[in-house]
């Protein structure tokens, strides 16, 4: 995936030499040197050159043998290299218990595993933040639902709609970790204590706001609060026609950029401030759809589909509305559609996603929708991983792509990698989708032979979901713990 990565080249040479293949290590050094000169027009990295020189000292090779604990001593420095990752835990099979995974992993999956893992790791290498940027430098932000002062049903959707619009924009910025809309829905009605809400959401800063209908004008306020001491850092009131909601969101984003000292790349800035429609009515339909989609219920999802469809009737080239319709269709496909409709919803999700890509390939939700369909309809694990990774590259604050990647990995038997992605989901959204967390963790535990843990996770899933999402897995977990009844 990256043949001119000097760090990896050194590690591979070390591993080859430690296993007794010093000639292979030197051959790899020659390949690396040739590629570096041809592709980069640059000299080889001094670390590679120095290691190759040490390996050529036939009389006194400076490579230590493997230590008894499995780690390797680094040539020339004496430093200890990390031990290789442990293989997935394996349950001890008795005469009556067989690991389910043994029946599932076929030879064809070995090829898919290589392709899928390569795609994922290549994407990780391309899109990871620079090593010099520690995780602590990222600012965590939560935009809470705006409180409606007037009880007009005509503006109720703006509680979540305005917050979601700001979240979707700022989620494009790698320096920020913005909690997704699904995380903030519980704060729609009750009065909010900034400290408690911020700690629950794992956020350093909160955006709070109100919206009031005054004749033909919307009176909107926004405020930035620091969670650690509940100190207001910025606030402003706006009186604007409903057609100016886009201007309001631009203004808030610019102010947050200043107050939080956000450094955006040109590509990020273009995504944050791009306007996808000039039709105010279409944009309102889009906001309604996004507010409903965040509820993750069948009734709300079907209503959201109506909203996005209405937006597209007014502006067929609104890429955000196509993205919303793709995600809503994927939700129907994944969660809610009866068997007779599953295929049709999957096809619709793909069609809308393709149209969204034609209009703008940098909308993260389009790639998330494609990953969702690839995961369930096609079992195309390489594409599931690639589309999920692209979504995370564009919007690092998303959580669902982590679970889609985890599902691909556990189907391929790559349980350690699946565990890593399961942990990454709650990191992105501590108050996120419990259904996906429990289901994915439960399947990984089941396939890894941790049957009691799997049973507990699937039983908890039954308590938090009104749908029998994993009863077949729960039945297997009971069986392998010995509870055949």
């Amino acid at each position: 995936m990256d043949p001119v990565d000097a760090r990896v080249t050194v590690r591979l040479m070390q591993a080859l030499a430690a296993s007794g293949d010093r000639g292979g290590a030197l051959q790899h050094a020659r390949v690396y040197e040739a590629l570096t000169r041809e592709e980069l027009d640059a000299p080889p990295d001094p670390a590679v050159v120095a290691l190759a020189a040490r390996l050529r000292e036939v009389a006194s090779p400076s490579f230590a043998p493997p230590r008894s604990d499995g780690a390797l001593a680094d040539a020339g420095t004496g430093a200890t290299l990390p031990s290789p990752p442990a293989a997935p835990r394996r349950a001890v099979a008795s005469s009556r218990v067989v690991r389910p995974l043994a029946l599932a992993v076929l030879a064809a999956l070995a090829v898919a595993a290589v392709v899928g893992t390569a795609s994922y790791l290549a994407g990780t290498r391309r899109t990871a933040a620079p090593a010099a940027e520690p995780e602590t430098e990222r600012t965590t932000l939560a935009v809470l639902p705006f409180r409606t002062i007037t009880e007009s049903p005509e503006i109720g959707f703006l509680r979540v709609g305005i917050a979601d619009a700001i979240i979707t924009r700022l989620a494009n910025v790698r320096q920020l970790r913005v909690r997704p809309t699904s995380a903030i829905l519980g704060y729609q009605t009750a009065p909010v204590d900034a400290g408690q809400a911020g700690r629950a959401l794992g956020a350093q800063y909160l955006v709070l706001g109100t919206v009031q209908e005054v004749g033909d004008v919307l009176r909107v306020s926004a405020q930035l609060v620091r969670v650690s001491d509940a100190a207001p850092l910025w606030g402003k009131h706006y009186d604007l026609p409903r057609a100016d909601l886009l201007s309001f969101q631009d203004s808030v984003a610019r102010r947050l950029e200043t107050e939080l000292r956000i450094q955006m790349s040109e590509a990020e800035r273009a995504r944050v401030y791009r306007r996808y429609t000039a039709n105010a009515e279409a944009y309102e339909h889009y906001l309604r759809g996004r507010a409903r989609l965040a509820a993750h219920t069948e009734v709300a999802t079907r209503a959201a589909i109506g909203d996005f469809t209405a937006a597209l009737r007014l502006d067929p080239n609104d890429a955000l509305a196509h993205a919303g319709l793709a995600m809503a269709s994927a939700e129907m496909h994944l969660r809610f559609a009866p068997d007779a409709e599953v295929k049709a919803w999957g096809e619709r999700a793909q069609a809308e996603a393709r149209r969204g890509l034609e209009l703008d390939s940098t909308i993260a939700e389009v790639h998330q929708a494609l990953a969702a369909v690839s995961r369930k309809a096609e079992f195309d694990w390489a594409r599931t991983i690639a589309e999920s990774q692209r979504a995370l590259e564009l919007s690092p604050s998303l959580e669902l792509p982590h679970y889609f990647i985890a599902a691909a990995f556990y189907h391929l038997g790559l349980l350690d990698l699946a565990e890593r992605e399961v942990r990454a989901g709650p990191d992105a959204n501590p108050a996120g989708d419990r259904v996906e967390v429990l289901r994915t963790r439960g399947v990984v535990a089941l396939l890894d032979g941790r049957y009691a843990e799997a049973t507990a996770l699937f039983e908890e899933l039954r308590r938090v979901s009104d749908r029998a999402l994993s009863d077949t897995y729960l039945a297997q977990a009971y069986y392998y713990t010995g509870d055949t009844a």
Side-chain angles (χ1 to χ4, degrees), residues 83-100:
S83 300
R89 264 192 306 273
R90 297 187 180 277
V92 178
S94 70
S95 60
R96 61 180 296 276
V97 176
V98 180
R99 289 190 72 202

Side-chain angles (χ1 to χ4, degrees), residues 265-330:
S265 68
E266 287 304 313
E268 288 174 334
R269 186 176 300 280
R271 292 200 299 272
V272 168
Y273 294 112
R274 177 172 178 179
R275 293 194 178 184
Y276 289 91
T277 183
N279 188 308
E281 187 180 354
Y283 189 65
E284 277 205 20
H285 282 297
Y286 168 76
L287 290 182
R288 287 179 189 271
R290 288 287 300 182
R292 286 169 166 157
L293 187 59
H296 292 299
T297 67
E298 180 178 355
V299 171
T301 301
R302 288 185 182 274
I305 288 167
D307 292 321
F308 294 133
T309 303
L312 289 170
R313 278 198 295 267
L314 294 166
D315 185 352
N317 294 320
D318 184 349
L320 284 181
H322 282 290
L325 188 50
M327 270 309 302
S329 300

Side-chain angles (χ1 to χ4, degrees), residues 46-393:
V48 177
V49 174
L51 178 55
R54 290 201 301 273
L55 291 173
R56 290 190 183 99
E57 296 171 8
V58 178
S60 178
S62 59
F63 226 94
R67 304 189 331 175
S68 60
D69 61 0
L72 300 175
D74 193 356
T77 67
T80 299
L81 299 179
S83 300
R89 264 192 306 273
R90 297 187 180 277
V92 178
S94 70
S95 60
R96 61 180 296 276
V97 176
V98 180
R99 289 190 72 202
L101 186 59
L103 302 176
V105 181
L106 304 176
L109 289 185
V111 177
V114 172
V115 174
T117 307
S119 299
Y120 171 72
L121 295 178
T124 301
R125 176 181 57 78
R126 286 195 308 270
T127 62
E133 179 191 359
E135 185 70 25
T136 53
E137 290 184 8
R138 292 196 174 100
T139 300
T140 52
L141 175 72
V143 184
L144 297 190
F146 277 49
R147 188 164 51 89
T148 52
I149 295 176
T150 51
E151 292 301 322
S152 168
E154 288 299 311
I155 65 168
F157 73 96
L158 292 176
R159 287 195 296 268
V160 174
I162 292 176
D164 175 79
I166 298 171
I167 289 168
T168 302
R169 287 179 180 227
L170 295 179
N172 289 291
V173 181
R174 185 162 292 278
Q175 185 183 330
L176 286 175
R177 281 294 179 267
V178 187
R179 297 313 183 200
T181 305
S182 58
I184 54 99
L185 295 180
Y187 300 94
Q188 290 188 67
T189 54
V192 173
D193 179 284
Q196 291 179 357
R199 286 188 291 273
L201 293 167
Q204 297 166 290
Y205 300 92
L206 294 179
V207 174
L208 309 173
T210 62
V211 58
Q212 180 181 8
E213 193 174 38
V214 182
D216 294 331
V217 172
L218 290 176
R219 182 163 295 163
V220 186
S221 69
Q223 185 180 51
L224 177 66
V225 176
R226 186 169 55 217
V227 170
S228 60
D229 56 4
L233 304 180
W234 163 79
K236 187 173 180 180
H237 296 277
Y238 302 81
D239 286 334
L240 43 91
R242 291 174 75 137
D244 281 353
L245 278 174
L246 281 165
S247 299
F248 163 72
Q249 289 147 21
D250 284 346
S251 176
V252 171
R254 287 194 178 91
R255 192 66 197 199
L256 293 175
E257 180 183 358
T258 300
E259 294 294 332
L260 299 177
R261 299 178 182 178
I262 300 170
Q263 300 296 320
M264 295 190 202
S265 68
E266 287 304 313
E268 288 174 334
R269 186 176 300 280
R271 292 200 299 272
V272 168
Y273 294 112
R274 177 172 178 179
R275 293 194 178 184
Y276 289 91
T277 183
N279 188 308
E281 187 180 354
Y283 189 65
E284 277 205 20
H285 282 297
Y286 168 76
L287 290 182
R288 287 179 189 271
R290 288 287 300 182
R292 286 169 166 157
L293 187 59
H296 292 299
T297 67
E298 180 178 355
V299 171
T301 301
R302 288 185 182 274
I305 288 167
D307 292 321
F308 294 133
T309 303
L312 289 170
R313 278 198 295 267
L314 294 166
D315 185 352
N317 294 320
D318 184 349
L320 284 181
H322 282 290
L325 188 50
M327 270 309 302
S329 300
E331 283 279 279
M332 290 298 299
H333 172 78
L334 277 175
R335 299 187 185 209
F336 306 123
D339 291 344
E341 298 180 12
V342 168
K343 181 180 178 182
W345 282 115
E347 291 172 348
R348 187 173 185 183
Q350 290 205 53
E352 294 298 333
R354 283 194 297 269
R355 181 57 180 148
L357 286 175
E358 291 171 1
L359 294 165
D360 185 352
S361 63
T362 66
I363 299 176
E365 286 77 6
V366 171
H367 297 280
Q368 180 174 278
L370 288 172
V373 175
S374 298
R375 169 191 171 183
K376 181 173 179 181
E378 302 167 4
F379 301 104
D380 184 342
W381 305 126
R383 190 182 187 200
T384 299
I385 293 168
E387 294 291 355
S388 296
Q389 185 63 21
R390 179 58 174 155
L392 291 171
E393 174 190 354

Side-chain angles (χ1 to χ4, degrees), residues 33 36-44:
E33 181 176 352
T36 302
R37 294 190 188 281
E38 291 173 9
E39 294 189 13
L40 303 181
D41 194 26

